[in-house]
Amino acid sequence: MSAKSAISKEIFAPLDERMLGAVQVKRRTKKKIPFLATGGQGEYLTYICLSVTNKKPTQASITKVKQFEGSTSFVRRSQWMLEQLRQVNGIDPNRDSAEFDLLFENAFDQWVASTASEKCTFFQILHHTCQRYLTDRKPEFINCQSKIMGGDILHSAADSVTSAVQKASQALNERGERLGRAEEKTEDMKNSAQQFAETAHKLAMKHKC
């Protein structure tokens, strides 16, 4: 079982919550690590998780989860309601970057994701969740790539529409050409029939005479 699956099952499922996404992170700025009760320094992995309640009305939250060295279990730490999120900073809109900042009403954290791809996926889920569940005040997304904000999806949709229009136009043109050729053939047949009728009439008159 992956770490994210284990977090979902161990941390969120017992509270009747559904984890939508998670990203493994490290702090960009150094912070003193507290000593554990055993006297050793506490090494741990940190995950930022996004979840929603299964009960209505749906409540979304962001939770910091840790896994300490030597332990197979996970521990829930800080948690914020999604409404408390004020700003999501992608740091650099022009390149794939693993760095990002989260600004809450009462907290500010600077993170580095395990990979830029994992950060991008988490941001996409986070942005979609904000648009879906927050009606009044939505957090500001700054310095984010267009693909995180759905730009690639919009461009893809626009390209699909353009392609469909072009295909439809081409089909109409081809149909018009076929109709044009059919009309030409009909006109030729009409002229031939008329010429045949005139010739037959002349022959009939000549024979009568």
Side-chain angles (χ1 to χ4, degrees), residues 160-205:
S160 297
V161 171
T162 301
S163 177
V165 170
Q166 290 175 344
K167 289 180 180 179
S169 177
Q170 182 178 357
L172 287 173
N173 290 335
E174 291 176 353
R175 183 179 179 184
E177 291 176 359
R178 288 196 297 269
L179 288 174
R181 289 194 293 269
E183 289 176 355
E184 289 177 0
K185 290 182 179 179
T186 301
E187 187 66 24
D188 291 341
M189 292 175 64
K190 182 178 178 181
N191 292 334
S192 297
Q194 186 175 357
Q195 290 176 1
F196 178 79
E198 291 176 354
T199 302
H201 178 70
K202 289 178 180 180
L203 290 173
M205 292 298 294

Side-chain angles (χ1 to χ4, degrees), residues 68-84:
F68 288 91
E69 186 178 21
S71 174
T72 58
S73 61
F74 297 88
V75 180
R76 182 192 294 258
R77 291 299 189 182
S78 306
Q79 184 177 47
W80 300 268
M81 300 305 295
L82 193 59
E83 292 85 351
Q84 295 177 287

Side-chain angles (χ1 to χ4, degrees), residues 105-122:
E105 287 182 349
N106 57 352
F108 174 67
D109 285 320
Q110 296 177 309
W111 301 108
V112 180
S114 57
T115 65
S117 176
E118 188 177 9
K119 166 201 163 182
C120 179
T121 300
F122 181 76

Side-chain angles (χ1 to χ4, degrees), residues 23 25-29 48 62 85-92 97-104 107-113 119 122-123 126 139-144:
V23 57
V25 297
K26 289 183 178 180
R27 290 188 180 276
R28 290 211 314 276
T29 55
I48 303 298
I62 295 176
L85 182 61
R86 292 289 171 258
Q87 186 183 85
V88 179
N89 189 342
I91 306 300
D92 193 336
S97 170
E99 299 180 350
F100 68 95
D101 296 342
L102 295 180
L103 175 63
F104 297 92
F108 174 67
D109 285 320
Q110 296 177 309
W111 301 108
V112 180
K119 166 201 163 182
F122 181 76
F123 268 34
L126 179 59
E140 179 186 22
F141 282 74
I142 63 173
N143 300 321
C144 294

Side-chain angles (χ1 to χ4, degrees), residues 12 15 18 24-25 33 42-43 45 55 60 105 150 159 163 184 203 206:
F12 297 103
L15 298 178
R18 178 165 50 95
Q24 184 181 336
V25 297
I33 303 175
E43 296 293 338
L45 298 177
K55 293 182 179 180
E105 287 182 349
D159 291 341
S163 177
E184 289 177 0
L203 290 173
K206 182 177 181 180

